[in-house]
Amino acid sequence: MTDGNTAVRVRFAPSPTGFFHVGSARAALYNWFYARQQGGALVLRIEDTDAERNKEEWVDCIYSAMRWLGLDWDELYRQSERTDLYREAAEKLYAGGLAYYCDCTAEVVQDRTKDNATPGYDGFCRDRGLGPGPGRALRFRTPDEGTTVVHDVVRGDPVFEHRTIEDFVLVRGSGAAMFILANVVDDIDMRISHVIRGEDHLPNTPKYLLLWRALGGPAEPVFAHLPLLVNEQRKKLSKRRDKVAVEDYRDGGYLPEAMVNFLALLGWSPGEDREIVPVDEMVAGFRLEDVNNSPAYFDEKKLLYVNGEYVRMLPVAEFVERSVPYLDAAGLAWDRAAFEEMAPLVQERVKVLTEVPAMVDFFFADPVIDDKDWDKRVVRGPAAAELLADAIAAYGAADLPWTAEALHDATAALGERRGQGLGKAQFPIRVAVTGRAVGPPLFESLAVLGRERTLTRLQAALDRLVPAA
RNA sequence: GCCCCCAUCGUCUAGUGGCCUAGGACACCACCCUUUCAAGGUGGCGGCACGGGUUCGAAUCCCGUUGGGGGUGCCA
């Protein structure tokens, strides 16, 4: 598909108008896959032509989110620093009679065309011979007849009739270039070979092509319009309605490699019934022509599953390291040695790193007893007071080695004496010591906690259960 | 309204005319394992939107219908 003589040059061109969106991340990822696989270049181009809506902090969001995902770029441009190029292109178009100035305001255009079968600008100023002037926009003069075909690797060859394309604005009345102009000028200038972007751009691709030709661009790029990412209502993921910010997932305890793997699966399949695939294998196996053409639902449940897989694949030391920010964020006065001891048991029980603190908090502070668990597993549990008292006696015995195994056996014996299985018997102890009915394996936890702290907590629970007369 | 795109289990997908009695994964349910919870194992539920063609043969090709989505900005 690629012409072997032409270097593959792709671009990811986000506009800094909000937090970095998972849909953008997916588009960036596919561009990156293709560039890396083909040994081509990935251009990161910040499309900040609309000063009103852009913010510098959003630009930083783009950089940090991409770095977090591991998507590196080879060249970086900002459209706000390239305005001369756009002005030159606009002047060339005007001089060549391919564009004209228009002084119609948006309101006027709307009033004039609202009853037309095909709304949009009606070409009112086409032949008025207006020159440049304050407040005047420059419009592209689209052909009245004929068609433009978009050759798209994932969509086939959609045909657009020129008569359905209005004379669109190239330069605002303020003199600032519009997206379409800057986009095409840059793609030509940057020798972009493949335009890989969201499907929402498909309708403006004929305009892009018309402009490309008017500007005398060389060989046109290959297009690949990616299926949209949608929410449960099957609507395009939106910043207002949906949880779409990549940084929210980062803060939510997701691993970047899991996010990358999950995103890759939305619109493409590694094949052979494989889903959890290392990134280098995805890069190697990625095919633009295998990208799907129907919208994909961003299913957080599946993301959660994928993340759990990646969490469990981590070497323990790495898991510990990655958990640090989340432990700190939870405000725990945590201790590394103790956490390291429990880490393997915690690792296979969490799906996101934000769950880590709640798994180990009882090591580093007095347990906060969960009322529901206390009521269900202790108060209403059979003879809990007696069991707690027995546990205190058994655990306090000087000849009991303080090991998980010995504690397991001692507790099993306690339960047996009253006809309880270990599963039941451990509940009051677990709630007393950790505050909750669920958590990492109990006896291993007690072994790390130590005899003294365990006994203190058991006694506290017993006192709470049976207040001293 | 007009233009364009899309259509396989609830979801993500495999499938490119016979390997399909439509495969995998998530979710869900059951059972097993088990010190709670997870993880793991086994099994189950569940789909080619509909109607016409083409063909010896269609999930796969064509047409139509229906349904969904995107675009329609001096936003990107």
Side-chain angles (χ1 to χ4, degrees), chain A residues 164-184:
Chain A
T164 66
I165 304 172
E166 63 175 321
D167 286 352
F168 53 93
V169 174
L170 298 171
V171 181
R172 296 176 175 85
S174 68
M178 290 288 287
F179 149 77
I180 190 85
L181 209 219
N183 203 245
V184 174

Side-chain angles (χ1 to χ4, degrees), chain A residues 7 25 62 78 91 93 107 115 152 172 187 193 206 209 228 230 255 304 367-368 396 417 430 432:
Chain A
I62 294 169
R78 301 212 25 181
E91 281 166 6
L93 258 10
E107 300 75 55
D115 298 325
D152 191 293
R172 296 176 175 85
D187 281 355
S193 63
L209 252 11
L228 256 21
V230 299
L255 264 23
L304 196 60
V368 178
R417 250 188 276 156
R430 178 182 286 281

Side-chain angles (χ1 to χ4, degrees), chain A residues 61-320:
Chain A
C61 280
I62 294 169
Y63 300 148
S64 67
M66 285 185 68
R67 282 198 201 98
W68 180 68
L69 289 167
L71 307 182
D72 56 333
W73 53 90
D74 304 294
E75 296 169 30
L76 174 68
Y77 302 94
R78 301 212 25 181
Q79 291 192 323
S80 54
E81 293 165 355
R82 300 167 58 82
T83 54
D84 287 353
L85 244 44
Y86 313 140
R87 201 182 52 243
E88 278 170 34
E91 281 166 6
K92 184 177 152 193
L93 258 10
Y94 174 64
L98 296 161
Y100 60 89
Y101 283 95
C102 166
D103 63 359
C104 303
T105 61
E107 300 75 55
V108 166
V109 172
Q110 222 173 39
D111 284 351
R112 205 194 297 137
T113 61
K114 67 180 173 204
D115 298 325
N116 292 8
T118 50
Y121 184 67
D122 58 358
F124 184 80
C125 297
R126 266 190 178 185
D127 304 308
R128 291 179 64 207
L130 256 32
R136 289 181 181 174
L138 183 70
R139 287 183 182 273
F140 184 74
R141 195 196 194 296
T142 59
D144 299 323
E145 298 175 346
T147 58
T148 286
V149 180
V150 176
H151 298 289
D152 191 293
V153 190
V154 342
R155 295 202 186 258
D157 301 330
V159 179
F160 295 85
E161 292 192 48
H162 292 159
R163 60 175 182 77
T164 66
I165 304 172
E166 63 175 321
D167 286 352
F168 53 93
V169 174
L170 298 171
V171 181
R172 296 176 175 85
S174 68
M178 290 288 287
F179 149 77
I180 190 85
L181 209 219
N183 203 245
V184 174
V185 167
D186 280 345
D187 281 355
I188 291 173
D189 187 59
M190 295 170 190
R191 306 185 317 284
I192 297 304
S193 63
H194 295 69
V195 173
I196 304 168
R197 60 195 339 184
E199 191 196 343
D200 45 346
H201 285 288
L202 188 55
N204 62 45
T205 306
K207 296 179 187 171
Y208 176 111
L209 252 11
L210 253 13
L211 241 190
W212 180 288
R213 289 163 194 161
L215 287 168
E220 291 160 13
V222 171
F223 292 94
H225 284 99
L226 311 175
L228 256 21
L229 259 34
V230 299
N231 61 21
E232 49 276 87
Q233 281 90 237
R234 302 252 107 201
K235 302 226 189 280
K236 183 167 84 160
L237 245 32
S238 103
K239 282 167 186 163
R240 295 183 55 189
R241 286 189 302 252
D242 310 300
K243 178 184 172 189
V244 295
V246 169
E247 23 294 269
D248 283 347
Y249 289 96
R250 187 234 292 138
D251 296 344
Y254 288 89
L255 264 23
E257 53 270 52
M259 181 59 92
V260 161
N261 195 148
F262 172 68
L263 248 16
L265 261 21
L266 263 24
W268 176 72
S269 164
E272 294 160 25
D273 289 340
R274 297 202 314 150
E275 293 200 320
I276 305 299
V277 181
V279 69
D280 54 321
E281 288 180 35
M282 290 196 284
V283 167
F286 185 75
R287 293 282 174 284
L288 223 34
E289 35 280 279
D290 289 344
V291 171
N292 280 148
N293 45 18
S294 44
Y297 169 53
F298 186 91
D299 184 1
E300 239 187 292
K301 286 221 182 100
K302 180 113 184 198
L303 204 212
L304 196 60
Y305 156 78
V306 172
N307 203 67
E309 291 284 310
Y310 275 88
V311 166
R312 274 174 265 120
M313 276 193 278
L314 252 26
V316 180
E318 181 72 15
F319 171 72
V320 169

Side-chain angles (χ1 to χ4, degrees), chain A residues 369-384:
Chain A
I369 307 288
D370 180 275
D371 290 335
K372 279 204 191 84
D373 287 344
W374 172 263
D375 184 54
K376 182 174 176 196
R377 299 300 189 180
V378 182
V379 177
R380 289 190 299 166

